[in-house]
Amino acid sequence: MSETEISWSGWGDPAKAAPLPEKITALLRDLLGVKPREVPPVALEDIAPRPSRLSTAALQALADVAVVRTDAESRVRHTRGKSTPDLLAIRRGDVSDAPDAVVLPDSHEAVLRVLELATEHRFAVVPFGGGTSVVGGLAPDDTGFAGFVALDLRHLDGLVAVDPVSRTATLEPGLRGPRAEELLAEHGFTLGHFPQSFEWASIGGFAAARSSGQSSAGYGRFDENVVGLTVATPTGTLTLGRTQKSAAGPDLRQLVLGSEGAFGVITSVTVRVRPVPEVKVYEGWRFPDFATGSAALRRIIQDGPVPTVLRLSDETETLVNLAQSGAIGEEGGNGCLAIVGFEGEPREVAERRARVREILAEQGGTDLGEGPGEGWAHGRFAAPYLRDSLLDVGAFVETLETTTFWSNIPELYKAVLAALPGHLVMCHISHVYPSAASLYFTIVTPDIDWDVAKPAVNAAILAAGGSISHHHGVGTDHRAPYAEEIGPLGVEILRAVKARLDPAGVLNPGVLVP
Ligand SMILES: Cc1cc2nc3c(=O)[nH]c(=O)nc-3n(C[C@H](O)[C@H](O)[C@H](O)COP(=O)(O)OP(=O)(O)OC[C@H]3O[C@@H](n4cnc5c(N)ncnc54)[C@H](O)[C@@H]3O)c2cc1C
């Protein structure tokens, strides 16, 4: 594979890996009791997936329509996603979920043909975008199938059309975040979609998993901006989105957004774009506690004006962030850090910013200036590299997220913390809406049985009235709590749609649909 590949056993560009300074490793050892893992990680060249289970006839037929790879390295690199359990498993050399082949189509028609072949030869198909799923969305249950293929969409990577009048762009699914931004910038536009996985995740993955970016207050979630979709299914092509809003029955785009490859393969996405902002400014605010900070965020998002970035760390996350930047214990206490960002045209930004600053001060915030904001913006994509380094020294680090109405945020927050006793758990409000917000938790601990702890947190989230996911999706990990969330009739509706679009069940079996 010639292009730069994401690390096979960690996050991102291997050249950007940043080992922890010895001081921090010692702190983790002495303070948290973190011990090195007993078994060191295996080397890529020592991992041997089982022999491909695909028949020679199936492989031959696939090779007639797309590039097909069956070498060990390609298969290992398409094994599962990037959750912490995924990374720990692959570091142990466990590739029991490796695809039997990696198939790289370069057109909608080729995708349709692969789906026909899957039905004919009884193999399963896992659409593969950036491979950054953290919910088991790339590890199908292939029981009863003659193997499965990873359908890597990287060759579908074009900017198909730009409509500058309507401010929309049609993009192919395999484009990753940075390349999509590069292509749109040539026309003066941006998606404004910057999830932490931006550098590697793909347009198709953003739509399929209802992704939400760090600037969602200003630009909206990815799914909110999608106006059109083309989907290849085993029973034909779906073309959705004649215009942005319509009263022509239920909006079937909503059936595809969040469908995680279980109903079809998204082969193009038409999405709202905005002019590239002329100015970007980020600043930090301190609130005395999480409740006061939450109320300030709610006030802003409900009554406006709305900044582009709006997030608030709880006391624990603030303390850890300050410890990392060496700013701990400054005058005024630590409290809770909010990051507030503004992007756009200079005059409009100045006016909006001035009013937001007034409101934040009225709501009990202390202005920390641009330092913390710029620091956040500069390091916004670095955290996943830190996770790798923490895993390297033996710590367990994982994230989870949920959402509820504002009135229920305190209960949900308490419920998640109570479900993870004895561990370092940090939280921030990551996305805000007029009626609701999302809570994003990071767990750092020397040792945890995640197979026990995660279902306990899921149960606590549902019992406290939260949704099982705000933006990571369902995958296989959240399938059971998702079934509980939507109820038996909801499950039957999903199964009926799946049966109509994918009667042989070849698409992502076991993902999403209970
Ligand atoms: C370090 C890290 C940080 C993250 N930060 C964020 C964040 O800030 N916000 C956020 O929303 N998410 C985040 N995620 C989760 C993940 O990046 C998102 O879910 C993203 O949308 C997945 O995109 P992808 O291209 O990697 O999809 P993949 O992981 O390749 O696929 C995800 C699911 O969608 C299916 N799929 C992929 N492409 C298609 C297609 N074209 N058609 C049909 N189905 C398809 C796959 O089969 C799979 O089930 C993060 C993940 C990591 C590891």
Side-chain angles (χ1 to χ4, degrees):
M1 296 202 158
S2 55
E3 305 135 80
T4 307
E5 294 284 339
I6 192 167
S7 159
W8 66 277
S9 60
W11 179 251
D13 181 350
K16 293 192 197 159
L20 288 180
E22 181 44 39
K23 229 168 62 188
I24 305 276
T25 311
L27 212 68
L28 286 166
R29 192 180 54 225
D30 302 341
L31 224 64
L32 285 184
V34 169
K35 289 198 276 311
R37 287 201 172 74
E38 276 156 25
V39 188
V42 292
L44 176 58
E45 51 279 13
D46 293 337
I47 302 182
R50 71 184 152 208
S52 174
R53 294 166 294 173
L54 295 185
S55 66
T56 314
L59 285 170
Q60 189 56 57
L62 281 168
D64 288 342
V65 285
V67 174
V68 178
R69 293 184 180 142
T70 51
D71 62 285
E73 179 173 340
S74 300
R75 292 172 61 203
V76 170
R77 286 185 180 279
H78 290 79
T79 301
R80 308 188 196 95
K82 295 292 180 191
S83 71
T84 294
D86 289 345
L87 298 186
L88 292 176
I90 208 156
R91 285 168 178 220
R92 286 194 303 271
D94 172 358
V95 286
S96 49
D97 289 325
D100 295 277
V102 179
V103 177
L104 300 101
D106 64 2
S107 68
H108 174 83
E109 290 65 34
V111 173
L112 281 175
R113 182 74 188 118
V114 170
L115 296 179
E116 276 172 22
L117 291 173
T119 306
E120 194 181 319
H121 293 271
R122 262 322 282 143
F123 59 81
V125 177
V126 178
F128 195 101
T132 67
S133 169
V134 281
V135 290
L138 301 163
D141 174 1
D142 62 1
T143 316
F145 288 91
F148 81 92
V149 305
L151 190 70
D152 187 324
L153 296 159
R154 72 179 64 191
H155 292 165
L156 278 159
D157 62 351
L159 168 59
V160 181
V162 176
D163 176 348
V165 177
S166 312
R167 289 196 179 163
T168 64
T170 301
L171 303 157
E172 288 191 314
L175 273 174
R176 294 204 301 241
R179 182 69 185 137
E181 284 297 328
E182 223 172 80
L183 291 172
L184 288 171
E186 288 171 15
H187 299 265
F189 290 118
T190 176
L191 291 173
H193 184 66
F194 302 103
Q196 202 173 51
S197 53
F198 165 75
E199 291 167 303
W200 298 92
S202 70
I203 295 294
F206 293 150
R210 284 195 189 275
S211 172
S212 196
Q214 293 168 344
S215 312
S216 65
Y219 294 103
R221 302 163 56 93
F222 193 80
D223 53 6
E224 283 169 350
N225 288 309
V226 172
V227 296
L229 293 152
T230 311
V231 190
T233 83
T235 41
T237 295
L238 259 180
T239 309
L240 300 169
R242 187 166 276 246
T243 179
Q244 186 171 8
K245 300 281 180 190
S246 142
D251 189 345
L252 291 182
R253 289 172 294 199
Q254 295 301 325
L255 206 56
V256 174
L257 295 166
S259 63
E260 300 183 18
F263 296 161
V265 181
I266 298 165
T267 56
S268 86
V269 182
T270 303
V271 62
R272 189 177 164 201
V273 291
R274 326 288 168 99
V276 172
E278 289 172 51
V279 289
K280 295 182 180 185
V281 48
Y282 309 101
E283 52 191 54
W285 285 75
R286 179 191 290 137
F287 288 91
D289 52 58
F290 199 44
T292 309
S294 303
L297 263 60
R298 178 163 52 81
R299 159 70 183 79
I300 298 259
I301 197 71
Q302 287 180 335
D303 298 329
V306 178
T308 313
V309 175
L310 190 56
R311 44 197 288 130
L312 172 77
S313 295
D314 72 352
E315 287 85 351
T316 313
E317 189 170 282
T318 301
L319 194 71
V320 171
N321 283 345
L322 290 178
Q324 268 175 8
S325 65
I328 200 161
E330 281 178 353
E331 202 190 330
N334 298 316
C336 290
L337 177 68
I339 300 295
V340 187
F342 304 87
E343 298 180 8
E345 180 273 316
R347 208 172 84 182
E348 186 276 326
V349 161
E351 285 167 10
R352 187 159 44 112
R353 186 179 178 200
R355 181 63 190 130
V356 168
R357 288 173 58 78
E358 268 173 25
I359 299 169
L360 290 170
E362 281 161 22
Q363 295 287 318
T366 306
D367 181 7
L368 300 178
E370 290 179 22
E374 296 305 326
W376 169 82
H378 181 72
R380 63 198 289 189
F381 302 125
Y385 290 100
L386 183 62
R387 171 178 66 162
D388 283 352
S389 310
L390 287 165
L391 294 181
D392 287 345
V393 300
F396 180 93
V397 190
E398 182 57 307
T399 62
L400 59 95
E401 38 80 53
T402 176
T403 173
T404 191
F405 291 110
W406 278 109
S407 54
N408 193 41
I409 283 282
E411 282 311 309
L412 184 60
Y413 175 69
K414 266 191 268 169
V416 173
L417 293 189
L420 290 163
H423 306 290
L424 175 65
V425 184
M426 301 172 266
C427 178
H428 62 262
I429 292 181
S430 53
H431 304 274
V432 286
Y433 309 96
S435 307
S438 75
L439 294 174
Y440 184 96
F441 295 87
T442 304
I443 299 103
V444 183
T445 183
D447 199 17
I448 192 168
D449 186 344
W450 196 238
D451 291 342
V452 174
K454 185 68 199 308
V457 183
N458 291 345
I461 285 174
L462 291 183
S467 171
I468 202 60
S469 175
H470 171 268
H471 58 269
H472 282 168
V474 175
T476 48
D477 296 0
H478 290 155
R479 196 180 56 210
Y482 173 53
E484 213 176 304
E485 187 169 326
I486 60 173
L489 188 54
V491 169
E492 277 182 46
I493 294 170
L494 286 185
R495 287 185 181 151
V497 173
K498 171 94 174 160
R500 175 62 188 85
L501 294 175
D502 179 20
V506 296
L507 273 164
N508 252 353
V511 171
L512 182 79
V513 183

